[in-house]
Amino acid sequence: MTMLRSLAALLLTTALVPPAHGQEGAYGGVTGPDRTLEAIEPEDEPVTTGLAGEIPTDIARYLLAGGARGAQLSPDGQMVAFTRDITGQAEIWTVPAAGGQPRQVTFRTGVDSLRWTPDGTGLLYSADRNGNEQPGYFIISADGTKETSILPAAKGDFRIFGDFARDGSFIYSSTARNGNDFDIYRATPSGESRLIYEGRFAFSAPAVSPDGRTAVVTEAVGEDADNLYLLDVASGKLTLVSQPQPRASHSLGGYAWETDGAGFYFSSNAGREFGALMRHDLNSGRSEVVREAQGNIGNVRLCGPHGRYLAWTMETDGFSALNLWDRTGNVMLPVPKLPEGVYSLDCEGDPVRLAVNVNGWNTPGDIWVVEPGKTEARQVFAGSLAGLDPQRLVRPQVVRYPARDGVMLQGLLYRPENAGMGENAPPVVFMVHGGPSGQSVPGFNPVAQYHVNRGVAVFEPNVRGSVGLGRSYSALDDREKRLDSVRDLVDLLAALDKDGLIDADRAAVAGGSYGGYMVNAVLAAYPEAFKAGVSLYGVADWITGLEVASPALKASDRIEYGDISDPRWRAFYQENSPIRQADRIAVPVLYSHGVMDPRIDIAESETMVRALRERGIEAPFIRIPDEGHGWRKLSNRLFYYRRQAEFIEDQLGVLQ
């Protein structure tokens, strides 16, 4: 009997972790957990790692590996700030851009995001309570000795930080007015805040002109698209810039204002399949294409005296490539070779420095500094592999197969070193991304690398509806076509098996959020395909799921799924939600959910657990009191992923 099965009859309890400072109240989730439902809750998990170099390697080492996220240069280009999680909560760290000793700035705050203040003396950051996504805003001095609560968290107030103007004021969006619609606000560092535009559903203001007069505003149209506007901050007048038909995205690379406020650069796939580099001119009101490519342009950044340099990334199959353009000389500059993976960029200072945050399959978060005209980059921060042997990490293979209806599907396949083919092929775990308009990319995936190291292949599919593969591809699962993407999982499993790359008779499917829905759906629609499932905080009933979705999701849900208040769509999901076919699921499924989840209510997992258990299907349930939509805390990650790994290996018959 496995540890998971022996624990399944127990109800373990744990006290909630104290809230981050200034984050009083336990609001989060919708209905609250059903305490009568037998569940496993985390207890203190020992951080045992085994000996360095020991094989098989304990999963704790993979979960402890990590590095920098969201690296940002100070306005003078002298310091890099980033978030790093080594204690179980993300904190702010800084390191000199010239290289030196990293320094921790915040402690026990659980930072969600950060931004340098325009004068470079401090950092504005957001932090919520246990993943409830209703954050407070704080400003802390760059040396970490002074800290102020700017906008305390409030129940029902979901916020999206926008941008600073040169004078230190900033723009953000918030649901404070009615708990549902995102409005645009202007605030000062002293905490004064005023409503400047009343929105409906999901409006946000990701960028503001240097003089603070004009804000870029986007309106979500599905998860993968938006309409683009300009907002006069003083008058509150909103002017439409682009409302493409069919829908498209203008937010693939952020927004980079020119220093004089005459225009801004961005990336958009309006009128094309992939995001092109665009410039919008305020005087003429026109947007023009600057660069096009057969892949999305992202991370658009403008920097240097008079905005001399424009940097961006080119994304191909999830891998990033750095580009740097000297606008003054109208010439593309050579860029140094960097580790492969997924990049984020920031550039500041005079002389200019460009910070490249690299997250790759063997790079859990490094920071490199590039200076225009130089052919070598300087590494200023290296992520930690926690004693893992980098030679045992596996690079994903990009694979493409046609679905039964001819649509070309794509994914990333991790095969164990020296894995056999055909009859000797390894078992496989399909790890399905969330979204639905997410994308599997070659970033550092500790759980995938753990399984591969244990002899289990991992496949990360980008079924239709995923982004990164063209604008048309991302719309192929809308509304009535949603079940086509579920079928893609079965087609990909058969194709990989036919090529001898995996053993389809020993296959499990796992996913979180929308990926959790996909697990429920594929096990119900194709009960013979997979031998086990792992559903993390996934949807069971689209009717209830869409009715209680958080404000950030409701705007996109109307496009992705249809208006759930319309009898047509209620009838569609009454028939096609996984809970309606739960009687067809015939294999064990591990369920888990955070009590504080504001996106998908815990009741969605609970109803699946009941439905399976009533029919005698094994359905262990891990309930985590102090988490929201995903696991942030180290202790919870250790507790959960050890049991997930054990469950998968037990179901697939993996022997060590």
Side-chain angles (χ1 to χ4, degrees):
M1 179 178 292
T2 67
M3 182 189 301
L4 183 59
R5 287 176 178 170
S6 65
L7 286 173
L10 301 177
L11 178 61
L12 304 177
T13 60
T14 182
L16 289 177
V17 174
H21 56 197
Q23 305 299 295
E24 291 78 13
Y27 45 86
V30 179
T31 63
D34 178 359
R35 294 292 181 184
T36 68
L37 184 66
E38 184 181 278
I40 306 164
E41 292 189 2
E43 58 185 356
D44 290 337
E45 189 77 356
V47 186
T48 56
T49 61
L51 300 174
E54 190 174 49
I55 299 175
T57 305
D58 193 287
I59 194 171
R61 288 194 181 271
Y62 292 88
L63 297 175
L64 288 167
R69 295 289 186 275
Q72 294 187 25
L73 281 157
S74 58
D76 61 6
Q78 297 299 306
M79 299 293 292
V80 185
F82 56 95
T83 60
R84 182 187 187 190
D85 177 1
I86 58 174
T87 63
Q89 294 190 92
E91 306 292 355
I92 296 175
W93 291 67
T94 60
V95 65
Q101 183 68 31
R103 176 179 181 175
Q104 187 172 349
V105 177
T106 63
F107 298 84
R108 291 190 61 77
T109 53
V111 173
D112 295 325
S113 62
L114 65 90
R115 190 72 62 89
W116 283 96
T117 57
D119 62 6
T121 62
L123 292 145
L124 184 148
Y125 72 88
S126 65
D128 69 7
R129 168 73 192 281
N130 293 328
N132 69 0
E133 300 183 17
Q134 298 156 69
Y137 286 173
F138 306 83
I139 288 182
I140 190 167
S141 60
D143 62 6
T145 60
K146 297 179 180 179
E147 192 170 12
T148 304
S149 174
I150 302 300
L151 294 173
K155 185 175 183 179
D157 189 354
F158 294 81
R159 299 172 184 158
I160 304 172
F161 185 80
D163 194 16
F164 275 110
R166 191 180 290 125
D167 64 3
S169 64
F170 61 91
I171 304 293
Y172 71 99
S173 57
S174 165
T175 61
R177 177 171 56 89
N178 61 12
N180 187 63
D181 298 310
F182 280 89
D183 304 320
I184 310 300
Y185 290 77
R186 179 183 181 272
T188 66
S190 63
E192 298 174 359
S193 179
R194 67 179 179 89
L195 175 67
I196 58 176
Y197 180 77
E198 286 193 8
R200 177 165 168 75
F201 292 112
F203 277 78
S204 61
V208 65
S209 60
D211 61 13
R213 295 180 180 179
T214 307
V216 173
V217 170
T218 61
E219 176 190 14
V221 183
E223 290 197 349
D224 59 346
D226 50 44
N227 297 325
L228 183 64
Y229 303 85
L230 290 177
L231 175 67
D232 185 299
V233 173
S235 69
K237 180 182 178 181
L238 194 69
T239 302
L240 179 66
V241 174
S242 177
Q243 188 178 20
Q245 298 294 333
R247 73 183 196 266
S249 176
H250 305 87
S251 303
L252 297 171
Y255 299 87
W257 278 93
E258 294 173 333
T259 55
D260 60 2
F264 58 88
Y265 290 89
F266 63 106
S267 175
S268 173
N269 59 12
R272 53 187 52 81
E273 285 297 317
F274 295 100
L277 180 64
M278 310 283 293
R279 180 186 180 274
H280 181 78
D281 184 83
L282 261 64
N283 288 330
S284 68
R286 293 197 300 267
S287 298
E288 297 181 348
V289 175
V290 179
R291 291 280 194 284
E292 285 189 274
Q294 289 301 305
N296 284 330
I297 286 175
N299 291 291
V300 179
R301 302 291 182 268
L302 190 64
C303 51
H306 308 293
R308 176 176 178 177
Y309 300 104
L310 191 67
W312 66 85
T313 56
M314 173 68 193
E315 313 295 338
T316 305
D317 286 325
F319 289 88
S320 299
L322 176 63
N323 292 264
L324 187 58
W325 177 37
D326 183 344
R327 294 200 305 157
T328 301
N330 191 24
V331 60
M332 296 298 297
L333 299 177
V335 295
K337 182 176 177 59
L338 296 166
E340 68 176 3
V342 183
Y343 300 167
S344 65
L345 309 180
D346 191 37
C347 60
E348 296 286 354
D350 182 13
V352 172
R353 284 172 169 157
L354 176 69
V356 185
N357 203 155
V358 181
N359 183 270
W361 58 273
N362 61 352
T363 307
D366 295 353
I367 302 174
W368 294 77
V369 171
V370 175
E371 297 180 15
K374 294 188 178 181
T375 58
E376 293 188 5
R378 177 174 62 254
Q379 186 176 20
V380 299
F381 181 82
S384 170
L385 284 173
L388 296 175
D389 181 357
Q391 299 300 315
R392 294 183 63 83
L393 299 176
V394 173
R395 184 183 191 275
Q397 172 188 353
V398 177
V399 299
R400 289 181 172 82
Y401 293 105
R404 65 186 67 181
D405 61 359
V407 172
M408 186 60 68
L409 309 174
Q410 185 257 25
L412 302 178
L413 176 64
Y414 298 76
R415 273 175 39 94
E417 185 178 1
N418 301 319
M421 300 286 288
E423 294 182 356
N424 298 316
V428 66
V429 179
F430 272 45
M431 291 188 173
V432 187
H433 65 66
S437 56
Q439 182 185 8
S440 295
V441 297
F444 187 73
N445 186 330
V447 178
Q449 293 288 350
Y450 170 81
H451 284 302
V452 175
N453 189 249
R454 300 270 291 183
V456 179
V458 171
F459 182 60
E460 298 180 344
N462 283 310
V463 297
R464 70 189 73 197
S466 304
V467 297
L469 299 169
R471 182 170 57 87
S472 299
Y473 190 82
S474 66
L476 290 178
D477 67 339
D478 285 355
R479 300 187 176 192
E480 298 97 332
K481 298 179 286 186
R482 186 143 315 277
L483 298 181
D484 293 347
S485 65
V486 177
R487 188 185 63 214
D488 288 344
L489 296 175
V490 179
D491 290 351
L492 285 164
L493 179 65
L496 290 166
D497 184 58
K498 183 178 179 180
D499 273 1
L501 296 171
I502 55 95
D503 180 0
D505 291 331
R506 293 186 295 160
V509 58
S513 188
Y514 183 80
Y517 153 74
M518 291 286 278
V519 171
N520 292 331
V522 75
L523 293 180
Y526 303 93
E528 304 299 325
F530 294 93
K531 297 299 180 288
V534 176
S535 177
L536 298 90
Y537 38 92
V539 169
D541 186 338
W542 279 117
I543 294 177
T544 56
L546 294 172
E547 285 177 337
V548 304
S550 67
L553 298 179
K554 285 185 176 178
S556 64
D557 288 348
R558 293 174 300 142
I559 304 299
E560 297 284 351
Y561 310 104
D563 186 349
I564 199 60
S565 65
D566 185 328
R568 171 193 175 191
W569 294 112
R570 292 186 75 87
F572 178 80
Y573 289 116
Q574 179 74 23
E575 179 181 353
N576 291 295
S577 291
I579 192 60
R580 310 302 173 203
Q581 292 95 36
D583 59 347
R584 300 186 63 198
I585 296 178
V587 298
V589 186
L590 171 63
Y591 287 95
S592 60
H593 218 113
V595 171
M596 306 292 282
D597 191 339
R599 298 193 182 197
I600 298 175
D601 191 60
I602 192 171
E604 295 296 318
S605 289
E606 292 172 340
T607 192
M608 291 299 298
V609 170
R610 292 191 200 94
L612 268 62
R613 287 179 179 177
E614 287 172 359
R615 297 176 42 247
I617 303 297
E618 183 181 353
F621 178 39
I622 298 178
R623 179 175 59 216
I624 305 186
D626 56 339
E627 295 281 12
H629 201 64
W631 322 142
R632 298 184 185 181
K633 297 180 175 65
L634 175 60
S635 60
N636 290 332
R637 293 201 303 270
L638 285 168
F639 182 92
Y640 174 78
Y641 284 111
R642 278 178 172 158
R643 283 146 188 85
Q644 175 181 293
E646 180 188 64
F647 176 83
I648 289 173
E649 291 189 0
D650 185 44
Q651 298 301 326
L652 299 186
V654 177
L655 302 176
Q656 297 294 333

